[in-house]
Amino acid sequence: MAARTAARQAGNLEELRSTLAGFDGCGLKATAKNLCFYRGAPKARLMLIGEAPGRDEDLQGKPFVGRAGQLLDKMLAAIGLTEADVHITNIVYWRPPGNRTPTPQEAQVCRPFMERQVELVAPDLLLLLGGAAAKEILGVTDGIMRIRGKWREVTLGARKVRAIATLHPAYLLRTPAAKRLAWRDLLAVKAALAG
């Protein structure tokens, strides 16, 4: 409840960032070096949400700046987008120890902030990167191969938004053959932005 109240009171992204910086309700904060809030545009038609910061992100205090982030930037460039056109964040704002997947409890504690972030960014579309983010945002238990590539409408805070899940760039680095599936999802996003 404290998280929900604090998140609600943030009138803009800077206020939300400082509220998060002072928030001690998520255990991940104790083991992380930095808060990883977002990178990209403060307002964007496309918002990308991944699962959690990794080592490079924790060091730099920004999401998706390591190898997976570099691949993500190339993927966005392939559909004519740059960092300045999108808003990139994660379902949790601190690196889990050993780069493990965040627990459902950790994601739930951060959710009021993420919902408020969606309200403030006001995107038309969400691109969910990987299974953990897709399951958390869509409220499903199916694996990423089942849920990727299908548009759904989700309500986050007071905002209804269309969302599509795709494969996480880190997975694509390990499984290059899956890039064709991610490419289909990106083309769907490009078409939706054009439409």
Side-chain angles (χ1 to χ4, degrees), residues 90-163:
N90 285 299
I91 59 170
V92 298
Y93 298 98
W94 297 276
R95 178 190 181 200
N99 280 0
R100 67 167 169 71
T101 301
T103 66
Q105 294 78 10
E106 289 160 348
Q108 278 306 112
V109 165
C110 291
R111 188 169 178 112
F113 299 103
M114 190 264 301
E115 288 183 356
R116 185 66 182 138
Q117 191 171 355
V118 170
E119 290 174 340
L120 293 168
V121 174
D124 296 330
L125 307 171
L126 293 180
L127 180 59
L128 310 175
L129 304 168
K135 287 175 186 179
E136 172 60 28
I137 305 278
L138 301 175
V140 298
T141 55
D142 291 339
I144 188 66
M145 288 304 183
R146 264 228 157 99
I147 52 181
R148 60 147 287 279
K150 298 179 187 91
W151 287 105
R152 297 161 194 240
E153 191 164 85
V154 293
T155 302
L156 295 167
R159 187 153 184 94
K160 259 191 173 47
V161 62
R162 288 177 71 207

Side-chain angles (χ1 to χ4, degrees), residues 13-170:
L13 288 172
E14 271 320 301
E15 287 176 17
L16 190 61
R17 179 195 300 270
S18 59
T19 301
L20 265 169
F23 179 69
D24 289 324
C26 181
L28 294 175
K29 184 178 180 181
T31 56
K33 287 186 175 27
N34 285 300
L35 164 69
C36 295
F37 187 39
Y38 81 91
R39 74 177 173 99
K43 292 267 185 210
R45 289 188 62 213
L46 178 62
M47 184 168 173
L48 293 86
I49 305 176
E51 65 181 52
R55 184 181 158 277
D56 294 325
E57 290 75 16
D58 189 29
L59 292 172
Q60 291 187 43
K62 286 184 180 171
F64 287 94
V65 292
R67 282 183 60 228
Q70 291 160 13
L71 176 57
L72 180 62
D73 289 345
K74 288 178 186 161
M75 291 163 66
L76 291 169
I79 58 166
L81 298 173
T82 68
E83 182 179 331
D85 303 311
V86 299
H87 184 95
I88 305 169
T89 192
N90 285 299
I91 59 170
V92 298
Y93 298 98
W94 297 276
R95 178 190 181 200
N99 280 0
R100 67 167 169 71
T101 301
T103 66
Q105 294 78 10
E106 289 160 348
Q108 278 306 112
V109 165
C110 291
R111 188 169 178 112
F113 299 103
M114 190 264 301
E115 288 183 356
R116 185 66 182 138
Q117 191 171 355
V118 170
E119 290 174 340
L120 293 168
V121 174
D124 296 330
L125 307 171
L126 293 180
L127 180 59
L128 310 175
L129 304 168
K135 287 175 186 179
E136 172 60 28
I137 305 278
L138 301 175
V140 298
T141 55
D142 291 339
I144 188 66
M145 288 304 183
R146 264 228 157 99
I147 52 181
R148 60 147 287 279
K150 298 179 187 91
W151 287 105
R152 297 161 194 240
E153 191 164 85
V154 293
T155 302
L156 295 167
R159 187 153 184 94
K160 259 191 173 47
V161 62
R162 288 177 71 207
I164 190 170
T166 193
L167 303 169
H168 196 287

